[in-house]
Amino acid sequence: MKIKVLTIFPEMLSGYLSSSVIGRALDAGLFSVELIDIRPYSQNKHKNTDDYPFGGGAGMVMLAQPIVDAAQAHASGRERRIYLSPRGRTLNQRIVEELAQEEELMLLCGHYEGVDERALQLCFPEELSIGDYVLTGGELAALAVIDSVARLIPGVLGSSESSEDESFTTGLLEYPQYTRPREFRGMEVPEVLINGNHALINRWRREQALRITRERRPELLETASLTAEDLAYLRSLESH
Ligand code: 4GO
């Protein structure tokens, strides 16, 4: 997977991308991210990338010209092109899985009041949102897309941090996790996790996931795939 990101603030992404799991995966060549600074593509004598909005109103609008030229200069013709915006489809794990199948992505990060609509019509027909709130720029949203997609690429997560049995893959919220020490501020780690009976541990974790999902996101139980044992456990909770 090759991801190109068009931005006027490449430094907003570089620190995150060179750190931790994503940094190691990029170093290992498991996928690539190319940060493309839009500003050098500006034909304006001051290399401006924005201007006042036609029709008036607050703030500035990003110019179509530098965005379209930057996109065209880096186009392979194969990439899925996405503008990060609160107007887009809301990202979820199903969409992340779909994006992870793509060979190439090109992400556009807007700033200020947004981007001249014509740049979107010409080059970025698809819009994605990471949730119903407004950011000062699309960079944080682009990072959320890159991070969530990258961790599905084989080898990005270590074998001990597999994405298979986690929330949104099982369709349930995650069970509680504990590490050392066994007692912290008078609070003990559940005994079942210490005994080392893996069948019991798996059943306990499954029940905790079911309990937490029922408490916090009961609607997820409608679509999770549940065994007869799961349903029996959920019924046992109804009397409480
Ligand atoms: C994306 C971009 C929110 C999202 C953004 C989101 N805010 N919810 N802000 O994914 C245009 C100018 C969009 C700033 C950008």
Side-chain angles (χ1 to χ4, degrees):
M1 154 99 55
K2 189 179 215 166
I3 306 175
K4 294 165 188 160
V5 187
L6 270 56
T7 170
I8 54 171
F9 296 113
E11 69 280 4
M12 290 180 81
L13 296 111
S14 47
Y16 191 89
L17 294 173
S18 58
S19 308
S20 185
V21 173
I22 302 299
R24 274 193 294 279
L26 288 171
D27 285 342
L30 297 176
F31 73 109
S32 72
V33 178
E34 187 181 354
L35 301 178
I36 298 161
D37 188 354
I38 294 167
R39 190 172 302 278
Y41 292 91
S42 174
Q43 284 173 5
N44 181 298
K45 62 174 174 290
H46 301 108
K47 297 271 172 202
N48 289 334
T49 57
D50 57 76
D51 206 337
Y52 299 97
F54 276 120
M60 303 296 274
V61 176
M62 287 177 72
L63 295 167
Q65 177 272 316
I67 292 170
V68 169
D69 285 353
Q72 277 171 3
H74 291 270
S76 69
R78 293 182 296 270
E79 34 339 70
R80 182 152 163 191
R81 295 170 170 212
I82 299 169
Y83 174 52
L84 285 312
S85 152
R87 301 197 304 198
R89 273 199 301 167
T90 310
L91 189 66
N92 57 39
Q93 195 66 23
R94 189 170 39 73
I95 298 173
V96 170
E97 282 164 16
E98 178 192 312
L99 294 176
Q101 302 304 308
E102 300 284 341
E103 284 299 325
E104 297 183 35
L105 300 176
M106 182 183 275
L107 307 178
L108 173 63
C109 305
H111 255 271
Y112 316 115
E113 296 307 306
V115 167
D116 188 308
E117 192 68 23
R118 293 166 295 184
L120 304 180
Q121 269 180 260
L122 285 169
C123 300
F124 292 90
E126 179 174 358
E127 300 191 20
L128 267 187
S129 166
I130 62 163
D132 290 340
Y133 44 84
V134 181
L135 301 166
T136 61
E139 286 77 8
L140 201 46
L143 284 175
V145 170
I146 294 167
D147 189 284
S148 57
V149 167
R151 60 192 294 293
L152 298 185
I153 296 171
V156 170
L157 296 185
S159 49
S160 69
E161 32 188 17
S162 154
S163 63
E164 265 165 46
D165 64 344
E166 71 196 2
S167 174
F168 300 117
T169 307
T170 61
L172 298 175
L173 300 182
E174 299 222 316
Y175 52 78
Q177 299 273 14
Y178 299 87
T179 184
R180 288 190 285 187
R182 280 179 64 158
E183 191 222 295
F184 180 70
R185 300 202 179 180
M187 303 157 89
E188 296 272 2
V189 172
E191 190 65 30
V192 61
L193 300 178
I194 288 154
N195 288 341
N197 179 333
H198 281 283
L200 275 183
I201 290 171
N202 287 339
R203 193 61 224 158
W204 181 86
R205 286 179 166 167
R206 182 76 183 175
E207 289 178 357
Q208 293 296 310
L210 290 164
R211 177 184 62 76
I212 291 172
T213 305
R214 179 178 175 272
E215 283 169 13
R216 303 187 188 179
R217 298 285 305 279
E219 78 281 10
L220 295 179
L221 294 174
E222 311 294 321
T223 47
S225 77
L226 303 176
T227 65
E229 210 178 5
D230 293 337
L231 292 167
Y233 176 70
L234 285 168
R235 270 194 302 275
S236 83
L237 295 177
E238 277 166 29
S239 44
H240 300 281

